[in-house]
Amino acid sequence: MREELRNNHLLAGADSDLAARLRELIEARLLHELRDLVVSLPEATVADLLAGLPVEEQIVVFRILPHDHATDVFEFLDTDAQVALLNSLGSDRVAFFLNEMAADDRTALFEEMPTPLVRRLMGLLAKDERIIALSLLGYPEYSVGRLMTPDYLSVRPEWPVSEVLLHIRERGSLSDTLSVFFVCDEVGLLIGNINVGDLLLADPTSTADTICDKNVVVLHPQDDQEAAANLFHRHGRPVLPVVDAAGILIGIVTMDDALEVAREEATEDIQKLGAVAALEEPYLKAPLARLIQSRALWLVVLFVGEMMTASAMALYEKEIERAVVLAVFVPLIISSGGNSGSQAASLVIRAMAIGEIRLVDWRRVLRRELASGFVLGSVLGILGLVRIAIWGGTFNTYGPHWLMIGLVVMVSLIIVVLWGTIVGSMLPFILRSLGADPATSSAPFVATLVDVIGLIAYFTVAALLLQGTLL
């Protein structure tokens, strides 16, 4: 870990030096040296360096870069930076970038733009690229159709390996990936796929249909993007084909796009687990009003829920007056229930997100959580009883009835923790069955639901066990 932190520090220092050198060359207008420096760096590194520069200085770099290199760097910029550049560059340069961008990356960019700007930029596309762009934007938002690219290589099943290799040499530069090729018949029906490693090791006289893998995992354009990302994880494929209802190959989705979807979904789930509406932009770039709005609604909902907790305590005002010591353990009881519920919710939501459990598994999950909740509640209950016994028996902290108070706390903890695990584990199933996002059952929301029942259980147990003594 120490070595990793050291390496990260060195990388950060190197990037800082490069950024300073880049700005120095721009200010001095040493364009030849600037070009040589930028071309020698990886495209992703250049994009990171440009992100810290004003748009005017970014434009200088893009104007001196070779066209192909500039397009690669442009695709690595975040959406806000791309939009700012498109608004500042001349029409010819914008048209070049848009026509040379990968179709899926261009679709992602258009999704973030206002409709009038998209219409204007569509007019800069070549006819073929405009047809592709309109086709991809025609699919539902968050569908695989928005994610796929039509830039792939397909070969005919009767072609020998030698002809396949020749086709790759001639057309490979037009494909989004060269790791996998697809075998299709004369009408485009998908037959199988060929990994590049299998192709290179195959007998040159073999035909494509004899070396292809016919057990192909396919996607459909209407599929949800998150489901597609789960398929990548489950099958470990670098590329998945997209076919229409007739099985005709119409595009592909690559691993990098699936990883981006997984990152966005994970970010959204984490934000919802913290009772925050999902942000569509980075934290530091999000307007302050948007940050407040994303948190205010949930805070109000949770505040109203906690009012129910206050109302529940008011119901037992007489019991608290007779035995003030009961109030001491209220935070302990309700926090334990909320914590156990949050744990169960987090585990179930994550398992749902990666496809480990489905709606039909709710009974199995309930049985496991009943057992887990009882054991965990018993552990906490025994610890609570031991703690009260030590303080009560040694220092007489809780009066002569400390043992009964300890039993109340122990039984209450078992009930509350068990209830918390049930609520936390079952609420995601309920939300999913209603068509809502399970991540909405955030940790604070579960804790609020558990608090009220926890208080009722605690004071009910106290009323039963302390009758005739403290109450």
Side-chain angles (χ1 to χ4, degrees):
M1 174 62 75
R2 186 175 299 171
E3 183 66 22
E4 181 180 346
L5 291 173
R6 177 178 172 273
N7 291 337
N8 290 339
H9 178 72
L10 291 174
L11 288 173
D15 286 347
S16 177
D17 293 340
L18 282 172
R21 178 60 177 162
L22 194 69
R23 178 160 283 179
E24 178 184 325
L25 293 174
I26 293 173
E27 292 174 352
R29 287 299 188 266
L30 299 174
L31 301 184
H32 289 293
E33 294 182 37
L34 177 64
R35 176 190 174 102
D36 292 341
L37 173 63
V38 174
V39 170
S40 68
L41 298 173
E43 290 86 351
T45 301
V46 176
D48 290 339
L49 294 173
L50 292 180
L53 299 178
V55 175
E56 296 77 15
E57 295 183 358
Q58 293 181 25
I59 292 174
V60 173
V61 175
F62 274 98
R63 282 178 175 163
I64 56 96
L65 278 175
H67 284 347
D68 291 344
H69 199 86
T71 303
D72 293 338
V73 172
F74 184 81
E75 290 185 351
F76 276 106
L77 294 172
D78 63 37
T79 304
D80 290 341
Q82 289 178 335
V83 173
L85 274 169
L86 292 178
N87 285 327
S88 303
L89 291 170
S91 296
D92 292 344
R93 196 67 164 171
V94 171
F96 175 80
F97 281 152
L98 293 177
N99 282 290
E100 292 299 315
M101 284 182 74
D104 54 337
D105 292 333
R106 184 175 57 215
T107 302
L109 174 62
F110 283 169
E111 284 178 338
E112 301 298 325
M113 289 180 167
T115 301
L117 180 57
V118 173
R119 288 174 180 165
R120 181 169 68 84
L121 296 178
M122 280 286 186
L124 300 177
L125 292 176
K127 181 179 178 180
D128 291 345
E129 294 297 329
R130 190 183 310 123
I131 292 172
I132 293 171
L134 289 171
S135 173
L136 296 182
L137 288 171
Y139 290 110
E141 192 175 8
Y142 305 119
S143 69
V144 166
R146 292 282 188 102
L147 201 62
M148 71 178 181
T149 174
D151 301 326
Y152 59 88
L153 282 182
S154 64
V155 299
R156 297 289 291 275
E158 67 274 11
W159 287 1
V161 168
S162 56
E163 188 172 350
V164 172
L165 289 171
L166 179 62
H167 179 71
I168 293 170
R169 292 190 190 99
E170 292 175 348
R171 307 284 295 176
S173 61
L174 303 178
S175 177
D176 199 50
T177 177
L178 293 177
S179 60
V180 178
F181 316 104
F182 298 93
V183 181
C184 301
D185 65 12
E186 63 276 4
V187 298
L189 185 68
L190 180 63
I191 297 173
N193 63 258
I194 305 174
N195 291 320
V196 64
D198 295 334
L199 181 66
L200 294 175
L201 297 175
D203 185 337
T205 61
S206 301
T207 57
D209 64 334
T210 62
I211 63 172
C212 74
D213 179 8
K214 295 183 173 62
N215 296 318
V216 187
V217 179
V218 300
L219 299 171
H220 297 89
Q222 306 295 335
D223 290 346
D224 182 75
Q225 292 181 2
E226 186 176 2
N230 288 336
L231 278 179
F232 273 95
H233 172 74
R234 188 179 307 146
H235 296 281
R237 302 290 179 93
V239 181
L240 286 179
V242 183
V243 300
D244 63 13
I248 304 296
L249 181 62
I250 58 175
I252 61 172
V253 176
T254 55
M255 175 67 82
D256 59 326
D257 294 319
L259 288 175
E260 180 63 20
V261 170
R263 184 188 69 82
E264 292 175 356
E265 290 294 336
T267 300
E268 181 179 336
D269 287 348
I270 289 171
Q271 289 171 344
K272 287 184 176 179
L273 281 171
V276 177
L279 292 172
E280 295 183 358
E281 56 270 283
Y283 173 83
L284 291 177
K285 293 184 178 180
L288 181 59
R290 174 75 178 110
L291 287 176
I292 295 172
Q293 180 185 0
S294 69
R295 296 154 72 175
L297 176 61
W298 268 112
L299 280 178
V300 171
V301 171
L302 296 174
F303 181 75
V304 172
E306 290 298 340
M307 287 181 178
M308 296 174 62
T309 305
S311 299
M313 286 199 68
L315 293 174
Y316 297 96
E317 186 177 351
K318 292 181 180 179
E319 285 79 359
I320 295 175
E321 288 179 357
R322 294 176 187 172
V324 179
V325 69
L326 291 176
V328 174
F329 299 102
V330 167
L332 173 70
I333 299 297
I334 62 175
S335 65
S336 297
N339 291 339
S340 66
S342 300
Q343 286 181 334
S346 299
L347 290 172
V348 171
I349 290 168
R350 180 56 182 163
M352 277 187 171
I354 61 177
E356 290 181 352
I357 59 176
R358 300 167 298 167
L359 279 177
V360 295
D361 298 319
W362 71 270
R363 290 185 181 86
R364 294 176 59 193
V365 173
L366 179 59
R367 286 195 296 268
R368 293 172 66 88
E369 290 303 319
L370 283 172
S372 299
F374 180 77
V375 172
L376 292 171
S378 299
V379 171
L380 296 183
I382 292 171
L383 287 175
L385 177 61
V386 170
R387 193 267 190 192
I388 292 172
I390 293 173
W391 263 253
T394 306
F395 307 108
N396 196 29
T397 305
Y398 307 114
H401 303 291
W402 59 264
L403 179 58
M404 294 304 297
I405 294 173
L407 289 174
V408 169
V409 171
M410 183 180 74
V411 174
S412 298
L413 280 170
I414 294 174
I415 295 172
V416 171
V417 171
L418 183 58
W419 170 247
T421 57
I422 293 172
V423 172
S425 61
M426 291 297 103
L427 193 56
F429 283 98
I430 296 172
L431 291 172
R432 172 64 65 85
S433 66
L434 296 175
D437 188 346
T440 306
S441 57
S442 59
F445 185 49
V446 171
T448 302
L449 287 177
V450 173
D451 284 354
V452 178
I453 301 300
L455 281 174
I456 294 173
Y458 175 49
F459 286 111
T460 300
V461 171
L464 292 174
L465 297 185
L466 299 179
Q467 189 71 38
T469 53
L470 289 176
L471 298 178

